[in-house]
Amino acid sequence: MFLKGVEVKAGEPLKVEPEDGRVVHISQAALGEGKKGNDIVPLRLKINGKMFVVGSLSGEKFPQVSFDLVLEREFELSHDWKNGSVYFCGYTAENPYEYPSLSLLFIFEYLCFHLSLSM
């Protein structure tokens, strides 16, 4: 497991591509230094060409948020805060579903093929 923090600057989306056989867990986001007011800052995640809001921050009310996002393919992080950066924390780990799911798929196809021959 590898712990990591990244800075996402204003107007500069950050692309992340997990290594083969690994997943990225994003566990927290926080506002960096800058003018903090009552503005709501949406945190955006783009994956498979679709944009999602995964949380919101506010300098006075909630400057950090915790969540548990697990991503196995390329994604992009961004935000709308014009006064500074947002920091995301998380870690990478082995993908627990990659090999077992392939094995189950192989077993399923094998059984279907042999069952169709015996009918």
Side-chain angles (χ1 to χ4, degrees), residues 59-117:
E60 291 183 9
K61 295 180 183 174
F62 35 93
Q64 64 185 26
V65 64
S66 295
F67 36 65
D68 190 20
L69 299 172
V70 181
L71 304 152
E72 64 179 1
R73 59 181 55 131
E74 183 179 300
F75 63 93
E76 189 176 283
L77 295 170
S78 63
H79 62 86
D80 291 347
W81 194 36
K82 294 175 181 28
N83 298 322
S85 298
V86 173
Y87 292 86
F88 290 85
C89 299
Y91 60 94
T92 62
E94 287 187 33
N95 186 346
Y97 303 107
E98 183 174 21
Y99 300 109
S101 63
L102 289 176
S103 299
L104 290 173
L105 179 61
F106 174 77
I107 292 168
F108 178 74
E109 289 177 348
Y110 177 83
L111 289 174
C112 288
F113 176 75
H114 285 287
L115 287 174
S116 67
L117 288 178

Side-chain angles (χ1 to χ4, degrees), residues 16-59:
V16 179
E17 185 170 351
E19 297 174 20
D20 286 340
R22 301 196 63 82
V23 294
V24 174
H25 291 249
I26 301 175
S27 55
Q28 186 177 20
L31 292 176
E33 295 297 319
K35 181 184 168 199
K36 296 177 181 160
N38 270 344
D39 295 342
I40 301 295
V41 180
L43 306 175
R44 302 187 190 285
L45 171 80
K46 184 177 182 181
I47 189 165
N48 291 337
K50 295 179 183 175
M51 186 74 75
F52 300 94
V53 174
V54 295
S56 297
L57 299 174
S58 169

